[in-house]
Amino acid sequence: MHDVINPATELVVASVPSASLEETDAAIARAHAALPAWRDVAPADRAAMLRRFSDIVREHSEELAQLEVANAGHTISNARWEANNDANVLGYYAGAPERMFGQQIPVAGGIDITFKEPVGVVGIIVPWNFPMPIAGWGFAPALAAGCTVVMKPAEVTPLTAIRLGELALEA
């Protein structure tokens, strides 16, 4: 177990388990196993699920903000912005599955090909300084593209990442 300490009060606000190497490998394997089903979700349906995720994050924005204050020591006004930013980023990327046009980068003397398909499991490593927004900036576009995600939050600030994962399941 790892204690999460509020940097403003130096009090333990939670104890969370640390994943072993075997547990990490198992999480990655589950993400690989889930990839075909998520990849095959129709773009309109994936967009609807991301919109629902955005709505749920917005409904829980005050809870997430309070959690981020305890988790990372952010001011309440910054934490509220961060929670709403995650909802906004999810809302923005909810529009992406139906509009993934992309552009090809010309290759001199080569063949220009763009594959519009998920690349696989995306690993997101979230630092301690802005854990909630950086998590959203990573998982929202990955999920929109049809990729699955394994997220590793910083040990000192994991609480909002854990809660966002729970909200994703709810969505």
Side-chain angles (χ1 to χ4, degrees), residues 42-166:
D45 293 335
R46 197 177 323 132
M49 286 186 250
L50 288 170
R51 280 187 203 94
R52 179 68 186 133
F53 189 10
S54 172
D55 292 344
I56 288 175
V57 168
R58 195 168 313 283
E59 290 166 13
H60 291 267
S61 63
E62 184 62 25
E63 171 197 355
L64 287 163
Q66 294 293 336
L67 196 56
E68 196 70 338
V69 169
N71 187 54
H74 292 192
T75 63
I76 190 62
S77 61
N78 282 353
R80 286 177 178 142
W81 178 89
E82 292 168 25
N84 281 303
N85 179 259
D86 266 15
N88 292 340
V89 167
L90 281 161
Y92 175 83
Y93 280 104
E98 299 170 301
R99 294 170 192 82
M100 288 192 187
F101 304 118
Q103 295 180 350
Q104 293 180 338
I105 300 170
V107 178
I111 299 173
D112 300 338
I113 300 173
T114 300
F115 294 97
K116 295 180 173 121
E117 60 188 33
V119 295
V121 177
V122 175
I124 301 170
I125 299 173
V126 181
W128 59 269
N129 55 341
F130 288 100
M132 192 166 25
I134 292 174
W137 300 339
F139 64 67
L143 293 172
C147 297
T148 53
V149 173
V150 175
M151 186 164 53
K152 190 265 178 224
E155 300 85 25
V156 295
T157 56
L159 300 181
T160 49
I162 292 168
R163 186 65 181 129
L164 286 166
E166 293 166 351

Side-chain angles (χ1 to χ4, degrees), residues 34-43 45-46 118 146:
L35 180 63
W38 182 243
R39 176 188 58 215
D40 292 343
V41 170
D45 293 335
R46 197 177 323 132

